[in-house]
Amino acid sequence: MMDWVGQWTPVQQALLGTLFTWALTALGAAMVFFFKSINKTVLNGMLGFAAGVMIAASFWSLLAPGIAMAEELDQTAWLTAAVGFVAGGAFLFLVDKLLPHLHMGLARNQAEGIKTHWQRSVLLVLAITLHNIPEGLAVGVAFGAAAAGSASGATVASAVALAIGIGLQNFPEGAAVSVPLRREGFTRRKAFLFGQASGIVEPVAGVLGAFAVLTVRPILPYALAFAAGAMIYVVVEELIPEAQREEGGSKTDVATIGAMLGFTVMMVLDVALG
């Protein structure tokens, strides 16, 4: 499989990888054709799993290779990692404050970002789309790093592992968008279309990320740390709070267990394949 993927250019690899993650989002959204609601405890576990995957990917697939690559380029590795990481979080912070969006389970008047009269459904999809940006960027940058041909540990195999991990956690996210929309009165078809649409941004961000780091190689360590910072921001600002929102020990325990499982799965994927 790796030989076949290796025949593609890094930008093509990034596009292929992010189309895969988008496809998993669409597959998850297709659950709306079978279910009209998602048990809150199950949803907590899904969100926790997604958080665990993103935390593990941030270190093994992004930060660690970025630090090693910074050292190869004679940069001050800790400073490069810190600057890139903080910049990634700051970017998501600004987007979060500007882009109108609404988190699941909240009333329309609790929407964040610039005030608009957009429909609740659009705001719900934008909330998921917001955190798909760093996921797509991470996959694209990972394939770009693999093309650099350094000894940093960034390989096509590790980039593929990252795409698989992101795809796995995109499946429950797709369902977490489409099924609640169905419960709010949308037709199954319309709920599915909205659910899969939240993943469209990933191929765009992935291709842009791969192209950028291939064009200016010295920014690659910063880009890897940037993607890691953006993903951690999403985990702390959105996924964990949503997974822990419901009171009750058993429900939040499921989210915690989901996060542990997600972290383990992503760690195994990266170490075994990378």
Side-chain angles (χ1 to χ4, degrees), residues 24-204:
L24 267 292
T25 302
L27 191 61
M31 292 298 101
V32 74
F33 293 109
F34 306 98
F35 305 99
K36 191 173 182 178
S37 63
I38 297 180
N39 181 276
K40 176 58 178 173
T41 302
V42 173
L43 180 58
N44 287 347
M46 289 179 174
L47 293 172
F49 182 87
V53 167
M54 292 176 73
I55 292 171
S58 295
F59 177 73
W60 269 281
S61 299
L62 300 169
L63 273 178
I67 291 171
M69 196 166 291
E71 292 173 344
E72 292 176 21
L73 296 173
D74 293 324
Q75 298 174 355
T76 305
W78 64 266
L79 181 60
T80 297
V83 169
F85 188 85
V86 171
F91 170 74
L92 259 292
F93 174 81
L94 290 175
V95 175
D96 188 57
K97 297 304 178 186
L98 295 175
L99 182 69
H101 62 284
L102 176 66
H103 297 296
M104 292 292 177
L106 299 182
R108 173 65 178 77
N109 59 9
Q110 292 179 286
E112 301 178 28
I114 296 174
K115 301 301 179 184
T116 73
H117 297 291
W118 293 351
Q119 293 182 353
R120 173 182 169 83
S121 57
V122 174
L123 296 174
L124 288 170
V125 172
L126 286 176
I128 301 297
T129 302
L130 176 62
H131 83 240
N132 281 343
I133 295 174
E135 293 174 9
L137 180 65
V139 174
V141 170
F143 279 109
S150 66
S152 64
T155 64
V156 171
S158 64
V160 169
L162 176 60
I164 293 174
I166 295 296
L168 288 176
Q169 62 100 28
N170 274 0
F171 178 85
E173 285 182 1
V177 177
S178 63
V179 175
L181 290 179
R182 170 61 177 163
R183 192 171 60 246
E184 292 191 11
F186 281 63
T187 64
R188 295 184 189 276
R189 180 175 178 276
K190 189 173 181 181
F192 166 74
L193 291 175
F194 271 91
Q196 62 83 32
S198 65
I200 291 177
V201 70
E202 291 196 10
V204 177

